[in-house]
Amino acid sequence: MENKVFWFVVGSQFLYGPEVLDTVAKRAAEMAEALSSGGILPCKLVYKATVKTDAEITQIMKDANYDDSCCGVVTWCHTFSPSKMWIHGFDILQKPYCHLATQYNRKIPNEEIDMDYMNLNQSAHGDREHGFIAARMRLPRKVVAGYWKDRPVQEELAAWMRAAIGYDFSRKLRVIRFGDNMRDVAVTEGDKVETQIKLGWQVDYWPVGHLVEVMNAVTEAEVDAKMAEYQDRYDLATDDIASVRYQAKEEVAMRKILEREGAQAFINNFQDLYGMDQLPGLASQNMMADGIGYGGEGDWKVAGMTAIMKKMAEGLEGGTLFMEDYTYDLEPGNEVSLGAHMLEVCPSIAAQRPRIEVHPLGIGDRQPPARLVFEGKEGPGIVVSLIDMGGRMRMIIQDIEVIKPILEMPNLPVARVMWKPAPDLITGVKCWIQAGGAHHTVLSTALTAEMMEDWAEMMQIECVHITKDTTVSGFKKELFFNDIAWKLKEF
Ligand code: MN
């Protein structure tokens, strides 16, 4: 993430003379520098130019498109910048766009203010002209408003930058499918070509037989090195070392294939483990701990989202992980959801050092797999589901509060996370089901709903958000109107 930058482009015109333009440029450079070194933005904001002509703007947007390190463009108008000259540039811009509606000075100086001051300090004026053309062109964009030195403004810009990092990552994402998705299941299906067009992911199949081939070529030394890593990261709470070594072998092989193919996410399916002795459990968990996306039962959509959201969360406190709603505790007034998976819960949310345990798996007809067992750490978070509505993708976000599990559940042999969904479990479940949200989600206590909404806007996909204020009837109307709006938007 630290190698990525954002460009700060300041709009103006020749009307004010070179002195004003010099001042604007100097101040813009000062602002970009201060914002970059303020400790809140995840990436540098680089001042590029004070632009005055159609040609300058077109060139800078072309350059932004072609520069791989540039993840987005932030604009601002210190003075007035007639917007017709922005049309061509905005039309060709292929990077995320944010309008920072701010002002160099916080206060209006009583004595100093005269018409020269007004000419120089007219962001209230300039930013409105600038905003109009983006509205007129229906550009997906973020508007961040407020005084640039203020923390909430910088935090909002930082959140947008993380979404833009997710956009950049999504455009290059490759997902490896070790097997197809689970038989008969609908929600894990989807249009992979449409996904590549809209989100950029290349989702390809590799036969499980190929994975077994690569596994068979893994050396004992490679397994030893992986075992040392496991012991460094986790507590070994089993005598069945052979099972743990088998997971190590699976992990080494899967990583080799992902690396070779330039992939950052993968899926497998317990129904398709031909030639394998164990469903990867610990192996998948340890890969997720390093930022690799995963989806169970062939769910490549959740695998891709897990990888993207892990990238967006880089450097933040909290966990980001593949999750599944399993079972409820319906104590009136204290309803909670218990999430887990048959094995593959990422330890990024672990409240304590995870234990490696070996237990039989009720399904899949294979040997008992080694897995990590732990409890999720509490905190506010979100769950996110991406579904294929036929012709378009819908993202559903729900605010949640991860809590310390209210039970010990000593016989549950998997990692577990417990949470209260917004606005309450019952209403939340109604809304989630109305929207078609999957049982597989990405749960994050690092990212905010705002970041995911920004990301969805950049990707130009539908996004709905279940919050503390959501009602079933209001939410159903939103889904209904969205359906019509998105049908009109298909072109
Ligand atoms: Mn599942």
Side-chain angles (χ1 to χ4, degrees):
M1 200 178 266
E2 59 262 34
N3 299 325
K4 300 293 184 181
V5 295
F6 289 80
W7 288 10
F8 192 37
V9 179
V10 179
S12 194
Q13 60 179 328
F14 288 115
L15 187 68
Y16 312 106
E19 218 176 296
V20 165
L21 289 175
D22 276 356
T23 306
V24 169
K26 230 188 300 163
R27 287 177 173 184
E30 178 200 332
M31 288 163 73
E33 181 52 44
L35 287 166
S36 296
S37 56
I40 294 175
L41 302 188
C43 305
K44 269 205 162 56
L45 181 68
V46 181
Y47 169 66
K48 289 309 271 193
T50 300
V51 290
K52 288 112 18 215
T53 65
D54 185 314
E56 277 179 322
I57 294 164
T58 303
Q59 190 58 48
I60 222 159
M61 298 308 184
K62 272 189 204 168
D63 293 345
N65 287 342
Y66 277 85
D67 188 328
D68 281 341
S69 68
C70 172
C71 283
V73 173
V74 179
T75 62
W76 169 56
C77 291
H78 192 312
T79 54
F80 193 85
S81 179
S83 272
K84 285 183 181 173
M85 67 180 167
W86 286 83
I87 293 174
H88 190 213
F90 274 150
D91 191 40
I92 61 168
L93 179 64
Q94 295 167 328
K95 297 282 169 88
Y97 165 51
C98 173
H99 180 172
L100 176 61
T102 189
Q103 180 169 283
Y104 180 74
N105 295 313
R106 186 191 290 275
K107 302 283 285 178
I108 297 170
N110 187 43
E111 300 295 326
E112 192 192 325
I113 188 163
D114 56 12
M115 282 321 289
D116 284 345
Y117 182 94
M118 293 282 264
N119 267 336
L120 176 61
N121 298 283
Q122 54 173 314
S123 300
H125 182 188
D127 274 333
R128 279 170 167 73
E129 165 71 359
H130 196 59
F132 164 72
I133 201 62
R136 173 66 181 81
M137 294 176 75
R138 276 80 174 171
L139 294 184
R141 63 179 160 154
K142 177 87 171 177
V143 179
V144 174
Y147 191 52
W148 58 282
K149 286 183 182 169
D150 288 347
R151 195 179 175 94
V153 170
Q154 296 189 20
E155 282 174 346
E156 210 175 352
L157 191 57
W160 173 81
M161 281 183 172
R162 288 193 178 272
I165 292 291
Y167 174 94
D168 177 69
F169 185 78
S170 186
R171 287 265 152 235
K172 297 162 191 160
L173 177 61
R174 294 189 68 141
V175 184
I176 300 274
R177 300 165 63 232
F178 292 120
D180 203 343
N181 60 317
M182 186 179 168
R183 279 187 289 279
D184 304 321
V185 177
V187 78
T188 53
E189 292 285 356
D191 184 336
K192 297 190 280 291
V193 172
E194 176 72 11
T195 302
Q196 188 158 359
I197 294 167
K198 277 277 150 60
L199 306 181
W201 315 355
Q202 188 169 329
V203 184
D204 280 329
Y205 165 81
W206 284 90
V208 176
H210 175 62
L211 174 57
V212 171
E213 219 171 69
V214 177
M215 277 171 58
N216 289 339
V218 171
T219 65
E220 285 303 301
E222 286 172 313
V223 172
D224 289 343
K226 188 52 73 181
M227 287 296 288
E229 183 184 309
Y230 288 163
Q231 272 166 302
D232 186 45
R233 292 180 169 187
Y234 316 117
D235 285 343
L236 197 55
T238 177
D239 298 329
D240 188 355
I241 303 302
S243 284
V244 183
R245 290 185 69 86
Y246 194 80
Q247 290 283 330
K249 186 158 95 170
E250 290 180 325
E251 182 179 339
V252 170
M254 289 192 291
R255 279 190 193 256
K256 278 184 181 172
I257 295 172
L258 262 65
E259 220 160 276
R260 188 191 72 204
E261 299 302 318
Q264 300 83 15
F266 72 103
I267 63 94
N268 52 26
N269 175 358
F270 69 92
Q271 287 173 330
D272 190 356
L273 297 173
Y274 280 87
M276 295 169 77
D277 296 342
Q278 292 180 25
L279 175 64
L282 170 60
S284 301
Q285 290 173 293
N286 195 51
M287 288 168 79
M288 284 188 272
D290 289 335
I292 294 169
Y294 171 79
E297 294 89 60
D299 191 341
W300 51 268
K301 295 196 299 301
V302 83
M305 286 310 300
T306 304
I308 291 166
M309 289 174 67
K310 277 177 172 293
K311 172 51 86 174
M312 286 168 64
E314 231 176 69
L316 292 176
E317 290 283 311
T320 299
L321 57 151
F322 165 62
M323 187 39 66
E324 177 168 286
D325 287 82
Y326 249 108
T327 193
Y328 302 130
D329 192 287
L330 295 173
E331 171 74 26
N334 194 32
E335 294 92 347
V336 296
S337 190
L338 171 63
H341 206 261
M342 59 178 90
L343 299 173
E344 311 89 343
V345 182
C346 168
S348 66
I349 198 159
Q352 67 284 103
R353 193 173 149 95
R355 296 181 309 278
I356 299 175
E357 300 182 12
V358 177
H359 303 278
L361 192 63
I363 51 178
D365 192 26
R366 287 291 183 279
Q367 290 171 11
R371 82 285 306 274
L372 295 173
V373 182
F374 55 86
E375 266 185 10
K377 192 174 175 191
E378 56 260 57
I382 51 172
V383 282
V384 173
S385 172
L386 181 73
I387 57 168
D388 187 327
M389 287 297 287
R392 75 170 194 278
M393 311 295 270
R394 168 183 286 164
M395 197 170 79
I396 303 137
I397 309 168
Q398 183 167 38
D399 294 337
I400 61 164
E401 183 72 34
V402 178
I403 60 167
K404 183 174 167 49
I406 56 175
L407 304 160
E408 281 194 11
M409 301 173 283
N411 295 314
L412 183 69
V414 289
R416 71 291 299 273
V417 182
M418 212 171 241
W419 67 88
K420 290 183 175 181
D424 58 78
L425 185 128
I426 304 296
T427 313
V429 166
K430 287 178 188 173
C431 292
W432 189 268
I433 288 175
Q434 287 286 354
H439 55 284
H440 286 163
T441 59
V442 185
L443 185 153
S444 179
T445 53
L447 300 175
T448 63
E450 184 183 10
M451 294 173 190
M452 296 316 298
E453 285 175 316
D454 287 350
W455 183 82
E457 185 175 358
M458 289 169 191
M459 305 317 300
Q460 304 220 42
I461 59 169
E462 183 193 357
C463 177
V464 291
H465 180 197
I466 304 166
T467 71
K468 65 177 178 29
D469 300 318
T470 302
T471 62
V472 174
S473 68
F475 193 66
K476 279 181 79 170
K477 276 186 202 123
E478 185 181 348
L479 294 173
F480 175 73
F481 290 129
N482 277 5
D483 247 339
I484 298 166
W486 282 91
K487 281 206 169 76
L488 292 173
K489 264 181 95 108
E490 295 304 322
F491 31 77

